[in-house]
Amino acid sequence: MKYVLALDQGTTSTRAIIFDKKGSIVGIAQKEFRQIYPAVGYVEHNPEDIVNSAVSVINEALKQAGLVIGDLAAIGITNQRETTIVWDRTTGEPVTNAIVWQCRRTADIAAHLKEEGLSERIYQKTGLVPDAYFSATKIKWILDNVEGAREKAERGELLFGTVDTFLMWRFSSGRIFATDPTNASRTMLFNIHTLQWDYELLQWFNIPASMLPELRSSCGLFGYTDKSVLGGEVAICGVAGDQQAALFGQLCIKEGDVKNTYGTGCFLLMNTGNKAVTSTHGLVTTLGATAGGRPPYVLEGSVFVGGAVVQWLRDELGMISTADESESWARKVSDTGGVYVVPAFTGLGAPYWDSEARGLLCGITRGTNKAHIIRAALESIAFQSADLVEAMQRDAGVNVSCLRVDGGASRNDFLMQFQSDILGVKIQRPVMEESTALGAAYLAGLSCGYWGGLKEIESQRFLGKEFTPAMQTEQRQKALQSWHAAVKAARSMR
């Protein structure tokens, strides 16, 4: 009997999950790795930590399941997007640490693009707004600031990749240098209409085309792992950025389907089919994963700090010992007592795109206690997501009636109920909450014939829990009004 392994390389940890033909988990392993903060607003990862954690969890998941590498029919990879790695073509060694998607060091580069009047042209080509979030500004920063990097790049000696590309390069001992449209569409160098790297954009950022990986379908053979790395040759035949993988894993394969992933950040995506929706409310247009044919267009909104606000409560404030404790603390009080948390720790993402906004805790009185603050922090995740849903409804011209959810924070019943209340829509959480990994597994398994088609995997989707709104309209509107006042205050903190 064969299995499919999904490698889910995230922002704070790497996981390997082994699925059987029923879509059930037979083995799982997870390992956190270092977060590096060399300066205010800077976020880095050591690429070697990423690779080592990936190899470690693959081996551990196999061991847990009582399997060997030869028992795998295929590997699917899903990854943190936009995070940028530049390495030497010959040695495979990174020229510097990976610049993480959260990093704001390149905000000035993005601001300069806006000042030059290039925002509209960039959006027309890429569906993205000029921001430090995306890879292009990070590549430019590395070439401009790492000694000798630009000269080596111009000689064709350096390669660029998002995390999927770097992992495949290492897993194959340099034989695979490729990415898929979902990751390419997050670089700000890829034309989402022609489905090609855009040479005009490369000129604007002064990035040599020789650095860029080959484009391949999200559902298709990329190559094989090297025996010296993983102990055997296994086909890698499914690749997608984490949010598009989650969209596919939630089987949001029809136009109008919407999901929200509650991870380090929050990522709301709507499948818009063959229509590239132009956003006038701060969202981006990107590409989704597909089991065949041209990739669908996706409307996306990103919250920079979602579940990370719970980590902040735990690690920096010491208010909780584990993330799970946040729910019981939030239920100790009937409301926040007028307290609001705006977790703009690295600025605000969609729909505001304000890199200068700063985090804010407001509405405090003498009676404010720890439970109020913890509850307000959890509610901030739902408020930020509500802003995205409102923007998406206006852009797409549709009313969202149901939101499919996944990600670690989606297991928090208090948060999911409040999300339903503040949106006024149903929230559906599947039995299989590992939507991101499942999406990567589905792509790989469909590619290699492990699953016969979409109908087979659709039969495996079961609803875990549904949350329905219980908040009165007047109360909802008042809460949103106060939230927006808090956001306005956070944006005035310069």
Side-chain angles (χ1 to χ4, degrees), residues 335-408:
D335 55 42
T336 67
V339 174
Y340 286 83
V341 173
V342 183
F345 303 151
T346 55
L348 288 171
Y352 303 103
W353 293 109
D354 187 346
S355 62
E356 300 300 319
R358 289 294 175 263
L360 183 68
L361 171 62
C362 61
I364 298 171
T365 66
R366 180 63 182 83
T368 298
N369 61 39
K370 183 168 79 169
H372 291 119
I373 295 173
I374 293 171
R375 181 172 177 134
L378 285 177
E379 289 187 0
S380 76
I381 302 172
F383 279 125
Q384 291 178 97
S385 297
D387 285 344
L388 296 182
V389 172
E390 176 61 23
M392 193 164 284
Q393 290 181 139
R394 292 184 179 184
D395 281 335
V398 298
N399 288 322
V400 174
S401 60
C402 177
L403 183 64
R404 298 179 184 181
V405 301
D406 54 64

Side-chain angles (χ1 to χ4, degrees), residues 162-224:
T162 42
V163 171
D164 59 309
T165 301
F166 187 67
L167 284 173
M168 286 190 287
W169 172 273
R170 282 298 187 87
F171 285 172
S172 66
S173 296
R175 290 196 298 271
I176 304 174
F177 182 50
T179 190
D180 84 304
T182 67
N183 280 294
S185 66
R186 310 298 295 185
T187 61
M188 213 156 64
L189 297 172
F190 187 71
N191 191 310
I192 61 172
H193 307 288
T194 65
L195 302 185
Q196 295 176 337
W197 298 115
D198 192 287
Y199 287 94
E200 185 177 21
L201 292 172
L202 289 170
Q203 289 177 345
W204 290 350
F205 288 100
N206 196 16
I207 296 171
S210 61
M211 296 182 69
L212 302 179
E214 176 187 346
L215 264 295
R216 299 187 191 173
S217 171
S218 301
C219 184
L221 179 63
F222 283 75
Y224 294 86

Side-chain angles (χ1 to χ4, degrees), residues 209-369:
S210 61
M211 296 182 69
L212 302 179
E214 176 187 346
L215 264 295
R216 299 187 191 173
S217 171
S218 301
C219 184
L221 179 63
F222 283 75
Y224 294 86
T225 62
D226 189 276
K227 187 175 181 179
S228 66
V229 182
L230 292 179
E233 292 187 356
V234 183
I236 300 174
C237 46
V239 174
D242 52 10
Q243 301 315 315
Q244 290 98 328
L247 190 72
F248 195 79
Q250 285 272 29
L251 296 179
C252 292
I253 54 181
K254 298 190 297 295
E255 185 176 342
D257 287 345
V258 187
K259 74 89 194 173
N260 195 23
T261 295
Y262 298 79
T264 302
C266 289
F267 303 89
L268 187 78
L269 276 71
M270 174 187 284
N271 186 328
T272 62
N274 59 9
K275 181 183 179 182
V277 175
T278 299
S279 175
T280 57
H281 295 89
L283 304 181
V284 300
T285 306
T286 190
L287 294 170
T290 180
R294 186 183 176 93
Y297 288 102
V298 172
L299 199 58
E300 175 174 339
S302 304
V303 168
F304 291 160
V305 177
V309 73
V310 179
Q311 294 175 325
W312 172 69
L313 292 174
R314 181 192 67 190
D315 300 339
E316 271 66 53
L317 299 189
M319 287 189 170
I320 53 177
S321 299
T322 66
D324 290 343
E325 287 180 20
S326 62
E327 180 171 355
S328 59
W329 274 102
R331 294 186 185 279
K332 290 179 184 293
V333 288
S334 59
D335 55 42
T336 67
V339 174
Y340 286 83
V341 173
V342 183
F345 303 151
T346 55
L348 288 171
Y352 303 103
W353 293 109
D354 187 346
S355 62
E356 300 300 319
R358 289 294 175 263
L360 183 68
L361 171 62
C362 61
I364 298 171
T365 66
R366 180 63 182 83
T368 298
N369 61 39

Side-chain angles (χ1 to χ4, degrees), residues 17-75:
I17 304 180
I18 302 172
F19 294 94
D20 63 15
K21 283 186 71 70
K22 295 180 181 179
S24 300
I25 296 174
V26 298
I28 183 170
Q30 180 170 348
K31 185 174 184 178
E32 293 189 359
F33 56 90
R34 285 188 303 156
Q35 306 296 300
I36 303 169
Y37 307 103
V40 176
Y42 282 42
V43 188
E44 297 179 355
H45 292 155
N46 183 334
E48 302 299 338
D49 290 345
I50 293 176
V51 174
N52 292 338
S53 68
V55 173
S56 174
V57 294
I58 288 173
N59 290 330
E60 187 178 337
L62 287 168
K63 182 179 179 181
Q64 183 190 106
L67 304 174
V68 295
I69 196 77
D71 292 321
L72 299 179
I75 292 176

